[in-house]
Amino acid sequence: DFSGAIMNILVVTGFILPSHYLANPYRAAGLPTDRVHVIPNGIDLQRFSHPAPAPRSAGTEARLRILFIGYMGPHKGVPQLLEALARLPGRRLQVDFVGAGHALSDYRRALAASAPAVSAKFWGRLPNADVAHRLAQADVLVLPSVCPENQPVSITEAMACGLPVVASRIGGIPELVEHQVTGLLATAGDAAALAACLQHYLDHPAQLAAHGAAARARIQAFALSAQVDQLEALFAAPVPPPPAALAVACH
């Protein structure tokens, strides 16, 4: 019953979505604007309350410690990341890949062939505690997704650890990563732009700490306690009355 389904939607008290990227199409599709609420997914900040990332080695030739966390497949932009790494001075890069996936072996071979000077390790899937350890040993998180992301956990956890983020300007990612403030954004699928972002941190290493500190400050608003407060406020708000009548025309 199409009309019944429409009525069921219209009498819902509130629709909760974690990003404006998801919320805006629903508003445009006709959901009552006053019932659509953006409340980000919360994060347990205590899990990442360790100090800022370990200091980098001294000297202009110190390796930039890059961390990728995600599925080892093309939708996460791994091919573009490998191409970007091949465009950079490999002797100055240390890259950790955390995650499993059907293309892991292919990516390992491709990186060895295209960028042999890059110091790289493919960790596969790791327990949460070990992921936190890898975050603490990195300078920057990179997530070059070519598919629209909503609110990537890898980004929120990296920001909680005080890491700047290099990511694609796609989906809900720009709601987390502010370009030149908490990290750097590149056009999705553009390996040259991704390489330029990473080169920026090679050329301006002092910005790693500045952007990382801004990222940690930004993510405080995503604490689980803040999410609970927003949900409780929503549940305590007056319930809007359902529509008095509904007419549905079908063709």
Side-chain angles (χ1 to χ4, degrees):
D1 182 354
F2 183 70
S3 63
I6 294 292
M7 177 61 79
N8 286 337
I9 290 176
L10 291 179
V11 299
V12 171
T13 302
F15 301 88
I16 301 172
L17 301 106
S19 69
H20 291 282
Y21 159 70
L22 282 184
N24 288 338
Y26 283 104
R27 294 188 181 106
L31 288 187
T33 300
D34 61 338
R35 302 186 197 186
V36 177
H37 307 276
V38 176
I39 300 179
N41 294 326
I43 179 173
D44 181 6
L45 296 174
Q46 289 299 114
R47 285 186 53 216
F48 308 99
S49 60
H50 50 68
R56 304 178 69 225
S57 302
T60 57
E61 295 302 304
R63 290 184 183 266
L64 179 67
R65 300 171 300 189
I66 301 168
L67 176 63
F68 169 88
I69 302 175
Y71 185 83
M72 300 301 293
H75 67 289
K76 287 292 185 178
V78 183
Q80 288 76 22
L81 175 55
L82 300 184
E83 183 181 339
L85 294 175
R87 294 168 174 261
L88 297 168
R91 69 184 185 284
R92 297 189 58 195
L93 303 178
Q94 173 186 323
V95 188
D96 288 311
F97 293 86
V98 173
H102 69 279
L104 190 153
S105 297
D106 293 339
Y107 293 155
R108 182 187 288 115
R109 287 192 293 268
L111 181 61
S114 63
V118 172
S119 174
K121 185 165 184 177
F122 291 80
W123 295 86
R125 190 185 302 275
L126 291 178
N128 286 340
D130 291 345
V131 171
H133 179 71
R134 294 265 58 85
L135 286 165
Q137 298 300 312
D139 293 319
V140 59
L141 178 87
V142 60
L143 186 65
S145 296
V146 295
C147 68
E149 300 268 6
N150 170 33
Q151 184 191 316
V153 172
S154 59
I155 288 182
T156 58
E157 292 184 348
M159 293 174 71
C161 285
L163 286 183
V165 177
V166 170
S168 299
R169 190 181 287 102
I170 192 171
I173 291 177
E175 297 176 41
L176 295 170
V177 182
E178 184 177 354
H179 187 64
Q180 287 285 12
V181 177
T182 61
L184 300 172
L185 295 171
T187 301
D190 189 337
L194 181 62
C197 289
L198 295 172
Q199 183 66 53
H200 178 85
Y201 283 128
L202 283 171
D203 296 337
H204 308 281
Q207 288 196 359
L208 289 165
H211 289 178
R216 175 170 271 174
R218 165 80 174 93
I219 210 65
Q220 299 307 302
F222 289 63
L224 284 174
S225 58
Q227 183 191 37
V228 170
D229 289 344
Q230 292 181 73
L231 290 173
E232 288 184 339
L234 179 60
F235 296 155
V239 177
L246 175 70
V248 178
C250 299
H251 174 69

